[in-house]
Amino acid sequence: MKKIILILLLFVYSISAQTELINSNDPIYSYLKFQQVSGKITNYDDIILPLSKKSIAGFVLQIDSSKINNKNIHKYCNNVINSQYIWENSNIISDALFSGKENNVIIYKDSLIKFTTDPLFSSVFINNNVEGINYKAGLLIYGGKLILNYGNNLAAYLEAWNGFQMGDRETAKLDSRVNQSFSFNQTGIKYFDGTLGYINYENQNISLFAGRSRILWGANLLNPMILGNSAQPFDFIKFNFHYKKFNYTFLHGWLVQPRRIIYVDSLTGNVRRKDSKYIAINRIGFDPTERLKLGVTQAIIYANRPLELSYLNPFLLWESAQRSLNDLDNSFLNFDARYLAFNGCEFVSSVTFDDLNFNLWGDGSWNTQNNRLAWQAGLNLTYPYIFKNMLLNIDYVQIRPFTFSHPEIGESLTYTNNGNPLGVNLQPNSTALTIKATYFYSENFIIVLRFDKIDHGNNIYDESGNLVYNYGGSYLISTTTILSDKAPKILDGILEHTYKSNLDIKYLLSYNVNFDFAFNYVHYKSKNVSKNSFESFITLNYNLF
């Protein structure tokens, strides 16, 4: 176990006191969650990711104090603090590809500033077998990143890359970077690109962030209810304050609606417009004990106007504020709880209220489109309840009809970003059972098994795709469009079943290089329709996860 901890951290993470953020999809978070549920580290909170290297360093040193040989961990810390410039010696290729130490192509460091720059590279081969027919695609992604650390509290980060697609275009879109690319999907070219960048300040009690990054937010990160992976990264400002048992987080983000093209005349041509859309979120967290974590989150989607000062005020009850603004917006209220009942067993739950109409509760008619909610309950297990070196996550999610949509045409006030769900990647009127096992097999291998059973009550459409009856099964259809007097129950409508099985094997060759082998089997069934597909991904990454 000591080797697993050391090699995993050596290959991937720097734990010097720096404030750049570690990618929210990095496997370090699964490992820290494993340690937290096992009772080996305390005060670890992953309800909002990513975290900074500085934060991660504190948790790594907790593991050090109980399980890792001090001499080894101190040697590792020394290697990290004295990060290596790979052109300093003759072993350039060896250091860049095989070294367990952090190393950079260019590095400048003095008593105040540390500046590094590195290339980014990813090569992906995708094979998609649909009903016995193979479709193949290849992706090449290349770019670079710049990181500037000023002292121990301030960091600036820039990442930019381009990508090239080969083979079948639809198969290439199985990679989210391609699927979320405007240039690839709207222009028809074979290229796609992406960029992230931010400034982050962090001290002992306060953190401040401004920029573009991917953020995960939810009580159970198998299916994050607040912010997830299904939507593209967006620009936001965020601050967090924590003191002893209390913490507070505020975020204001700039979202995307599909562009509008208005034809004016033959001389002027087309006029392109992008309507504004924003999200504001804040959360108050209270940890009565080291084992119990509670939180209340409020969120607002607003659109089609400039920034609203009320929603830039983090210390305001936004539900009341939006009513004083003539009830133009879409508000949400979420409660979450996590309880480490025993070392090795943690219970997780959350509930999100999209709309509440108490007048309809007393007479038993609460089940209408005016009462919309989603909830989840989960369980995290480690040894002694399962095998050693394994983390097991179980999550059940129910999103009732019409939840996350809105009584308005279009998607300006739906809980989406550019047409994709902001939180859990499910449509309204759905349930999902997810089971995920992460096994830290050795110092080089991480093996992940995941199974999803998704049931969805879809709306009824005619052969031309026109809505016939609304069962509340889509984010993008108004809650007041084509309804009957009887409100639908959960999974009413055209019942669809989707079963997903995933095997993901990560091999960490060095600090910079990792391989990923992923295999997905998907079975879809609805009425007399049955489809099967098998997807495989082979990925080589340099400075990426």
Side-chain angles (χ1 to χ4, degrees):
M1 190 56 155
K2 293 179 182 178
K3 286 185 177 181
I4 296 174
I5 298 169
L6 284 170
I7 299 298
L8 190 67
L9 297 175
L10 278 169
F11 282 167
V12 191
Y13 321 111
S14 163
I15 64 169
S16 56
Q18 299 166 359
T19 52
E20 72 260 28
L21 304 176
I22 300 298
N23 187 315
S24 57
N25 293 318
D26 197 295
I28 185 62
Y29 297 112
S30 292
Y31 193 77
L32 291 177
K33 185 66 178 180
F34 166 74
Q35 294 290 346
Q36 178 252 317
V37 176
S38 299
K40 304 292 177 51
I41 60 176
T42 58
N43 299 318
Y44 176 68
D45 194 347
D46 63 351
I47 196 164
I48 302 173
L49 298 179
L51 302 177
S52 68
K53 284 185 177 181
K54 179 188 291 188
S55 297
I56 290 174
F59 300 118
V60 171
L61 293 177
Q62 283 189 46
I63 304 170
D64 159 41
S65 64
S66 60
K67 286 293 179 183
I68 301 178
N69 180 281
N70 285 336
K71 180 179 179 181
N72 289 338
I73 194 70
H74 289 164
K75 180 180 179 181
Y76 165 64
C77 290
N78 185 63
N79 288 337
V80 170
I81 293 169
N82 295 286
S83 302
Q84 188 176 13
Y85 170 37
I86 66 173
W87 307 110
E88 287 178 348
N89 57 58
S90 60
N91 299 320
I92 295 173
I93 301 300
S94 176
D95 285 341
L97 299 181
F98 304 109
S99 175
K101 300 178 182 179
E102 180 183 20
N103 52 81
N104 308 99
V105 171
I106 297 176
I107 182 170
Y108 171 81
K109 182 175 57 175
D110 58 26
S111 60
L112 187 61
I113 290 177
K114 179 182 178 183
F115 172 83
T116 63
T117 181
D118 291 288
L120 301 173
F121 175 80
S122 181
S123 175
V124 187
F125 173 77
I126 308 172
N127 184 78
N128 186 23
N129 185 293
V130 181
E131 299 297 323
I133 302 176
N134 277 322
Y135 302 91
K136 294 179 171 61
L139 308 176
L140 287 176
I141 297 170
Y142 48 91
K145 64 178 180 179
L146 306 174
I147 303 173
L148 173 66
N149 280 277
Y150 182 84
N152 293 329
N153 301 107
L154 183 67
Y157 180 91
L158 170 63
E159 172 187 315
W161 47 263
N162 275 299
F164 175 72
Q165 172 264 333
M166 298 165 285
D168 183 66
R169 289 180 65 87
E170 291 302 313
T171 299
K173 289 196 287 187
L174 293 174
D175 188 295
S176 62
R177 293 167 293 190
V178 180
N179 190 45
Q180 295 172 0
S181 169
F182 176 86
S183 58
F184 182 88
N185 290 286
Q186 297 296 322
T187 66
I189 63 176
K190 293 186 176 182
Y191 293 89
F192 53 99
D193 57 359
T195 185
L196 302 175
Y198 59 79
I199 296 176
N200 189 55
Y201 173 84
E202 183 176 311
N203 64 23
Q204 185 176 358
N205 298 109
I206 295 175
S207 66
L208 303 169
F209 174 99
R212 171 176 295 193
S213 182
R214 181 172 294 284
I215 181 170
L216 300 182
W217 189 322
N220 193 330
L221 293 181
L222 275 183
N223 297 301
M225 193 70 76
I226 308 300
L227 295 172
N229 265 326
S230 58
Q232 64 195 49
F234 58 89
D235 303 299
F236 61 93
I237 55 175
K238 180 173 76 75
F239 81 78
N240 172 265
F241 170 78
H242 61 275
Y243 181 74
K244 295 185 178 180
K245 296 183 178 182
F246 294 91
N247 60 82
Y248 179 83
T249 303
F250 165 82
L251 176 148
H252 187 282
W254 284 254
L255 304 180
V256 177
Q257 294 189 67
R259 64 175 180 168
R260 292 187 294 115
I261 300 179
I262 303 171
Y263 179 76
V264 180
D265 54 48
S266 59
L267 296 177
T268 307
N270 295 331
V271 177
R272 300 180 182 184
R273 293 287 183 268
K274 183 180 83 71
D275 295 325
S276 59
K277 182 172 182 176
Y278 312 95
I279 185 170
I281 314 174
N282 65 22
R283 178 182 183 272
I284 300 174
F286 174 57
D287 304 342
T289 70
E290 288 185 351
R291 293 178 174 268
L292 178 62
K293 296 179 173 64
L294 306 172
V296 180
T297 300
Q298 59 173 342
I300 291 280
I301 296 285
Y302 70 103
N304 303 328
R305 64 184 191 272
L307 293 177
E308 194 68 70
L309 183 59
S310 295
Y311 305 143
L312 288 170
N313 182 352
F315 304 107
L316 197 67
L317 185 61
W318 290 338
E319 174 67 21
S320 295
Q322 73 109 2
R323 295 195 185 283
S324 71
L325 297 169
N326 294 327
D327 200 16
L328 294 173
D329 309 316
N330 196 2
S331 61
F332 305 85
L333 185 64
N334 175 276
F335 299 90
D336 65 80
R338 291 160 292 160
Y339 179 52
L340 185 63
F342 314 99
N343 286 349
C345 178
E346 180 184 46
F347 296 96
V348 180
S349 66
S350 75
V351 59
T352 299
F353 295 97
D354 182 352
D355 200 9
L356 282 172
N357 191 326
F358 292 108
N359 291 330
L360 300 174
W361 283 46
D363 60 3
S365 59
W366 72 275
N367 186 38
T368 73
Q369 66 269 26
N370 296 317
N371 281 306
R372 306 190 295 272
L373 65 91
W375 62 273
Q376 67 183 154
L379 179 66
N380 300 317
L381 295 173
T382 62
Y383 183 81
Y385 301 100
I386 56 173
F387 301 112
K388 288 185 175 181
N389 301 341
M390 178 181 285
L391 171 65
L392 181 67
N393 312 104
I394 303 171
D395 188 44
Y396 177 82
V397 178
Q398 182 180 111
I399 304 179
R400 297 192 61 79
F402 303 104
T403 307
F404 299 125
S405 54
H406 198 264
E408 183 171 307
I409 297 173
E411 64 176 85
S412 60
L413 293 179
T414 61
Y415 201 70
T416 59
N417 185 24
N418 207 14
N420 295 300
L422 270 169
V424 59
N425 191 19
L426 296 171
Q427 290 289 334
N429 199 14
S430 295
T431 65
L433 173 66
T434 303
I435 302 172
K436 178 183 176 182
T438 304
Y439 185 51
F440 303 95
Y441 178 76
S442 75
E443 57 266 32
N444 302 92
F445 284 97
I446 304 171
I447 302 172
V448 180
L449 286 168
R450 175 168 175 156
F451 172 77
D452 293 87
K453 178 183 181 296
I454 302 170
D455 297 322
H456 176 223
N458 204 352
N459 302 323
I460 298 177
Y461 303 89
D462 62 21
E463 294 181 354
S464 300
N466 299 311
L467 181 68
V468 174
Y469 186 78
N470 186 4
Y471 283 99
S474 172
Y475 283 91
L476 304 179
I477 295 177
S478 169
T479 62
T480 58
T481 303
I482 311 181
L483 300 173
S484 71
D485 294 334
K486 183 180 179 182
K489 298 179 180 178
I490 185 72
L491 299 183
D492 275 355
I494 305 300
L495 188 57
E496 301 174 331
H497 306 280
T498 304
Y499 304 88
K500 298 180 180 180
S501 301
N502 167 262
L503 169 63
D504 190 5
I505 302 172
K506 300 182 186 298
Y507 175 65
L508 312 177
L509 177 65
S510 69
Y511 184 90
N512 296 320
V513 181
N514 65 83
F515 293 88
D516 192 277
F517 306 89
F519 307 92
N520 303 326
Y521 173 74
V522 181
H523 174 67
Y524 169 85
K525 181 172 63 175
S526 176
K527 282 189 172 181
N528 298 322
V529 178
S530 180
K531 296 181 180 179
N532 297 284
S533 65
F534 180 78
E535 306 159 2
S536 59
F537 302 78
I538 301 174
T539 304
L540 166 64
N541 290 317
Y542 188 92
N543 282 329
L544 284 172
F545 261 110

